């Protein structure tokens, strides 16, 4: 027993230092989140979901894992997500009696150890991800369906766009509506993780930011921006 205890302590040390996911038989985890990567502010999580609304919905279907990529709308007050499946996508047929997982993926990028002040390091990956767990129910009320569809269009159409869903011919809309399965997800719990090199020194984080800002890619720019904001918050 003493050997097992020491082994667990040893493995936990390496898990903490190198962000390795190690699970013991008597322990259960949701998303693996070391304490320094955890997002505790629900407002920050909600903002992230609204800015990165194209999600992946996971469930069990016909005895196996199944996923669909969908834009979702968040109702903060009701703690609900709204969306719709294409009716030929049969994931909806057995999804109501299970808890589903929804993943919102944000910016991510490779972090090179060559950017550090030492060569005694290994590569890693910085990223932001939100996991939402909830129960789905199909929407039957026609007004609720139209409100959800309209909210989706309003969110993504440009402010100066002349397009309005309510201007579409009602018969045409009625025909299209028969091809979708609208739903809402009651949120049970949310996990947020931003891995932004917080487990490294401030000096090293600044070196990473400097290198990321040199790369002409949106992912690298976004990660650099988040890292700078995180460092600024720590000084408040």
């Amino acid at each position: 027993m003493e050997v097992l205890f020491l082994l667990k302590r040893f493995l936990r040390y390496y898990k903490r230092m190198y962000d390795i996911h190690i699970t013991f038989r008597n322990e259960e985890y949701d998303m693996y989140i070391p304490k320094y990567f955890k997002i505790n502010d629900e407002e920050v999580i909600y903002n992230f979901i609204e800015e990165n609304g194209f999600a992946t919905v996971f469930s069990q279907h016909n005895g196996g894992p199944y996923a669909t990529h969908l834009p979702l709308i968040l109702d903060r007050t009701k703690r609900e997500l709204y969306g719709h499946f294409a009716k030929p996508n049969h994931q909806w047929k057995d999804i109501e009696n299970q808890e589903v997982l929804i993943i919102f993926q944000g910016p991510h990028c490779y972090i090179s150890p060559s950017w550090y002040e030492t060569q005694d390091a290994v590569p890693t990956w910085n990223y932001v991800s939100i996991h939402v767990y909830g129960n789905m129910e199909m929407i039957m009320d026609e007004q609720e369906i139209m409100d959800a569809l309209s909210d989706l269009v309003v969110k993504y159409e440009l402010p100066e766009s002349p397009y309005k869903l309510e201007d579409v011919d009602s018969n045409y809309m009625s025909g299209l509506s028969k091809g979708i399965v609208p739903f809402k997800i009651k949120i049970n719990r949310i996990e947020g993780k931003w891995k932004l090199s917080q487990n490294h020194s401030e000096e090293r984080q600044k070196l990473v930011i400097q290198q990321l800002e040199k790369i002409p890619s949106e992912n690298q720019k976004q990660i650099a921006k988040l890292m700078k904001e995180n460092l600024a918050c720590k000084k408040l």
Side-chain angles (χ1 to χ4, degrees), residues 56-107:
T56 307
V57 179
F58 294 90
S59 69
Q60 288 289 312
H61 176 57
N62 288 337
Y66 199 97
T68 297
H69 307 278
L70 297 168
L72 300 177
I73 292 290
L74 171 68
D75 186 320
R76 297 189 184 207
T77 304
K78 296 180 179 179
R79 282 179 60 87
E80 293 177 341
L81 293 165
Y82 288 79
H84 59 272
F85 290 111
K87 186 165 284 187
N89 177 356
H90 290 173
Q91 185 178 11
W92 64 269
K93 288 194 172 183
D94 56 1
I95 202 170
E96 285 192 278
N97 296 320
Q98 56 180 292
E99 186 176 60
V100 297
L101 166 64
I102 306 96
I103 295 181
F104 296 88
Q105 185 66 53

Side-chain angles (χ1 to χ4, degrees), residues 29-236:
Y29 295 98
D30 291 316
M31 176 164 55
Y32 168 57
I33 313 177
K35 62 182 179 181
Y36 29 75
F37 299 150
K38 186 174 183 180
I39 306 176
N40 294 304
D41 190 333
E42 194 169 78
E43 187 75 12
V44 171
I45 292 176
Y46 282 164
N47 289 340
F48 180 86
I49 289 174
E50 290 175 342
E51 292 168 5
N52 300 270
F54 191 68
T56 307
V57 179
F58 294 90
S59 69
Q60 288 289 312
H61 176 57
N62 288 337
Y66 199 97
T68 297
H69 307 278
L70 297 168
L72 300 177
I73 292 290
L74 171 68
D75 186 320
R76 297 189 184 207
T77 304
K78 296 180 179 179
R79 282 179 60 87
E80 293 177 341
L81 293 165
Y82 288 79
H84 59 272
F85 290 111
K87 186 165 284 187
N89 177 356
H90 290 173
Q91 185 178 11
W92 64 269
K93 288 194 172 183
D94 56 1
I95 202 170
E96 285 192 278
N97 296 320
Q98 56 180 292
E99 186 176 60
V100 297
L101 166 64
I102 306 96
I103 295 181
F104 296 88
Q105 185 66 53
H108 59 91
C109 66
Y110 176 78
I111 305 298
S112 170
S114 68
W115 302 341
Y116 299 161
E117 77 289 350
T118 176
Q119 290 300 308
D120 294 330
V122 293
T124 190
W125 208 273
N126 280 3
Y127 60 90
V128 184
S129 187
I130 306 296
H131 286 195
V132 177
Y133 303 84
N135 294 97
M136 183 181 294
E137 63 178 84
M138 303 308 157
I139 303 175
M140 308 306 294
D141 181 78
E142 289 189 12
Q143 187 58 53
E144 190 174 10
I145 292 171
M146 287 306 301
D147 288 345
L149 293 173
S150 180
D151 288 345
L152 189 64
V153 171
V154 169
K155 178 177 179 178
Y156 291 107
E157 281 290 323
L158 295 175
E160 64 272 16
S161 171
Y163 182 83
K164 293 182 179 179
L165 196 63
E166 54 265 34
D167 292 339
V168 178
D169 179 79
S170 59
N171 291 326
Y172 180 76
M173 278 300 301
S174 178
L176 288 181
S177 297
K178 294 175 183 178
I180 65 172
V181 181
F183 62 79
K184 57 185 173 184
I185 299 168
K186 300 277 188 180
I187 296 174
N188 297 333
R189 65 191 191 281
I190 303 177
E191 299 172 320
K193 179 177 182 178
W194 46 15
K195 185 174 177 294
L196 303 172
S197 301
Q198 302 98 315
N199 54 328
H200 293 277
S201 67
E202 182 174 331
E203 175 192 7
R204 186 172 289 181
Q205 291 180 56
K206 289 179 178 178
L207 290 173
V208 171
I209 291 169
Q210 290 173 11
Q211 294 299 322
L212 290 176
E213 289 180 330
K214 295 177 183 178
I215 302 173
S217 167
E218 192 61 31
N219 272 310
Q220 277 82 353
K221 289 179 182 178
Q222 286 298 314
I223 289 295
K225 178 175 179 289
L226 290 170
M227 290 181 68
K228 290 174 79 170
E229 290 173 354
N230 183 62
L231 285 176
C233 287
K234 289 172 66 175
K235 295 180 180 180
L236 296 178

